[in-house]
Amino acid sequence: MRLTRRDALAALSGAGITLGGGVAALSRESVDASEAGPSLDDTLATLTAAAEVVYPSDVEGIEAFVEAYSLGRIEGRDEYLAGVHDATVALDETALSWEDARFAALAADRRDTVLRQLGVPTADEDPDGTRAERVRYYVVNELLYALYASPTGGELVGIENPQGHPGGVASYQRGPR
Amino acid sequence: MTDVCVVGAGPAGALVADRLAAAGRDVTILEAGPRFDETPDTERMERSIRPGHAPTEVWEMGGPRDAYSASGPDFYPLNVARVKGVGGTTNHWQGMVYRLHEADLSGENNPPSWPLSYDDLRPYYLEAERAFGVAGASDDPYAPPREEPHPLPAFPPSYSDSLFAEACESVGVTTHAAPNARNSEPYDDRAACVGYGTCKPVCASGAKYSADHTVRQAEAKGVDLVTQAPVQRLETDAAGERVTRAVYVRDGAQRTIEAEQFVLAAGGVEIPRLLLLSASDAHPDGLANSSGLVGRYFHDHLFAGMGGTLDEPTRQNHVGFITTESHQFYDDPGAGTGEIPARDGDLAPFKLEFLNYAGPSPVAMALREDAWGDELRDRLADAYGTHVAMGGLVGQPPLARNRITLDESRTDDHGNPVPDVVWEIDEKTRRTIERANEIQRAILEALGVDIEWTAGPEDTGPAYHHMGTTRMSRAPEAGVVRPDCRTHDVGNLWVASSSVFPNGGALNPTLTIGALALLCADSVDASL
Ligand SMILES: Cc1cc2nc3c(=O)[nH]c(=O)nc-3n(C[C@H](O)[C@H](O)[C@H](O)COP(=O)(O)OP(=O)(O)OC[C@H]3O[C@@H](n4cnc5c(N)ncnc54)[C@H](O)[C@@H]3O)c2cc1C
Ligand code: SF4
């Protein structure tokens, strides 16, 4: 299954974010990231690296999808961006101290290990919680929400109009294909 | 001085204010909570799906403002059962709307009878359906007579409804469309349903009716809305015959408002509480409480349900509302069919629902699992897809011992004693839940369902319908308000709420609340 920037826009529209200029308007330059904190490039690289671990292996096109979705989410939401920064920096710091490299620079299985050793699988998401709970909130669950509230992600598990997606009122009436 | 002061901006207060403003009256609404337009509904929708946000966070309930006691015998979870802010609890509600049956009003289903007949309510029901934008079909053979179709066409049945329809037919149960306060087409400047599937607790498209819509219409007609203005008490003249002013708090300061007439529309718990908090020399047991019945006869509808899995896809969780029900047993709960045995004994009314949201929603589940990657995908694909479930509501008979009182040992953020919900689920209700379960089991077995859970007499819960606490009566000693919703004791005080229901049948109350609010507004208008 291939994710596209168009899927990201569908996921964003479910989250109430519509971009005037459509796909074309989404670029790193268009997002006015605050001066403080890590660069936007680093943040997007960390999110993409995490998505490669938490998304199923049959999903392609992750980088473009994550970039478009995350830019849409960040735009105009300073508090949210601060939360994402904080969580991605925490991931990097952990990776540096345990694996001697930034999170995005690790091989996929090492990234998986870092997330597990942090305790993220059993952490309850909480924007104000422990490091693991914040990573679960701003990184892992953010990415899972983007995927599974979108029609493409929903289809992977059998529902083309998942909760949170405005997929119309025909699908509930249809029988299995 | 304003003509009318309305306390509460839920559907009851909104409809009263809107109708009085349309009649040219000066109206001010005092609302305890905020306007909810600062946070977009899409963000509230995400809160409702993501586990990091408590259910009460979606509509900002809880904390010292909303402190309450529930001294039992059964626990009542009050703060998941109401919302405070413009639109009131309809921000969160499901939007299932029905007219009460004639046998409810006559007291045959549950005592006592209403001092109003179906014919008295009928024109108001139609107007309330238009205000809410009800989508429905006139195909329920058990519903009371209608003069005109619903304002909007019904939502077509779901795929799982079609599976149920066959099973129901085989056990002699008739199904029909479920009316919804939800746009099946664009209506009244609100969009059509787009299938977000999170109706309860939030519809991000505005397709589900919520009373903030009516409040906006009322404001456009000149109604003054004061938010974050919780009313503390009402004060009367020395003789206690008229309310002279409402005392409320705004921006940390106590303020007052004078009006010719006052309408309480603060919901079935806060209305009796406010009357009890307004005790004075002239009304020592609470305002308008010469009968001693303020707060008594609190009752709700109780949930009966059952569900499990089939060995085929059932296509659940695409939308968050119900499209098919059966009211076959409503007026005759013991009646048998060819396949389902009849039961003797005293039973309460109940209705049956066929859910479109049985089992897990994959996105919500994904955020709660301790796995990711392929393992998570496989778990979601395994868990989703074959669930079915039935629900139902049983009408609890109103009992004097179930009541809202003041808990003098605890206070809210303004130093007022908190409400205490004294509530018990009685034997008749439990017996009827068992009866509903019996029919649900027959239907699910006919469908071939592997039954996995039951919400029966021991694990039932309330439907969050707060009824009976200022009951309506013809005789002053038998109730708190007259058939026109004016209090027996105080000439310029009305109540618009399910608190006036003598009995609430077994149907979700808000359409009847809407009808009574319009009737109440006519009575207030005629008095001015
Ligand atoms: C989860 C859920 C699902 C539901 N689903 C359905 C359904 O499908 N169908 C149905 O018919 N009903 C349903 N209901 C019930 C429905 O929401 C209520 O019947 C309806 O909202 C009651 O309207 P109201 O105007 O009387 O009170 P409310 O909607 O509760 O509004 C009362 C307002 O008064 C304000 N207020 C309270 N005290 C004060 C004070 N002292 N001063 C100033 N303002 C005050 C409150 O802040 C609130 O905004 C549901 C309820 C819940 C919780
Ligand atoms: S399914 Fe429910 S939440 Fe979604 S648009 Fe329709 S009414 Fe609103």
Side-chain angles (χ1 to χ4, degrees), chain B residues 7-12 30-33 80-85 88-90 92-96 200 229-231 265-267 270 274 464-465 508-510 513:
Chain B
V7 180
L30 300 177
E31 165 53 50
V80 295
R82 57 181 185 169
V83 171
K84 290 187 180 174
T89 310
T90 51
H92 185 140
W93 77 329
Q94 170 79 339
M96 309 167 71
K200 191 176 74 181
V231 174
E270 295 298 332
L274 200 48
Y464 311 144
H465 305 150
N508 311 53
T510 310
I513 295 173

Side-chain angles (χ1 to χ4, degrees), chain A residues 13-17 53-58 69 73 77 112 115-116 120-122 125-127 136-138 140-142 144-145 148-149 156-169 171-177, chain B residues 42-43 45-46 49-53 155-161 184 193-198 312-313 315-319 321 323 356 361-378 380-381 384:
Chain A
S13 83
I17 297 165
V53 174
V54 303
Y55 286 180
S57 54
D58 49 352
Y69 183 78
R73 294 278 277 185
R77 295 167 82 213
D112 185 77
L115 284 168
R116 284 180 198 282
V120 179
T122 51
E125 66 161 26
D126 182 351
R136 177 91 197 204
Y137 187 92
Y138 281 110
V140 173
N141 275 5
E142 185 66 20
L144 292 175
Y145 187 84
Y148 288 113
L156 286 173
V157 296
I159 181 166
E160 71 277 20
N161 180 18
Q163 260 194 336
H165 176 69
V169 292
S171 73
Y172 84 85
Q173 303 172 45
R174 268 198 305 266
R177 273 176 274 187
Chain B
T42 41
E43 202 163 316
M45 174 170 73
E46 190 181 323
I49 295 173
R50 293 189 63 155
H53 302 276
F155 285 90
S158 65
Y159 173 68
S160 53
D161 289 342
S184 55
C193 172
V194 296
Y196 273 124
T198 55
E312 56 176 309
R315 310 267 306 153
Q316 297 295 286
N317 280 309
H318 288 244
V319 289
F321 57 90
T323 38
N356 290 329
S361 151
V363 56
M365 184 179 161
L367 308 180
R368 289 161 174 83
E369 290 297 297
D370 60 359
W372 48 62
D374 291 352
E375 189 183 348
L376 176 62
R377 180 203 55 208
D378 294 347
L380 299 178
Y384 173 76

Side-chain angles (χ1 to χ4, degrees), chain B residues 337-352:
Chain B
T337 70
E339 306 297 319
I340 297 169
R343 295 288 169 209
D344 295 332
D346 191 18
L347 293 171
F350 68 89
K351 65 151 174 162
L352 297 172

Side-chain angles (χ1 to χ4, degrees), chain B residues 401-423:
Chain B
R401 65 172 185 271
N402 286 334
R403 62 189 297 204
I404 307 301
T405 60
L406 299 179
D407 180 351
E408 302 284 351
S409 71
R410 297 175 60 202
T411 51
D412 68 8
D413 55 343
H414 293 107
N416 294 311
V418 304
D420 183 9
V421 186
V422 183
W423 186 58

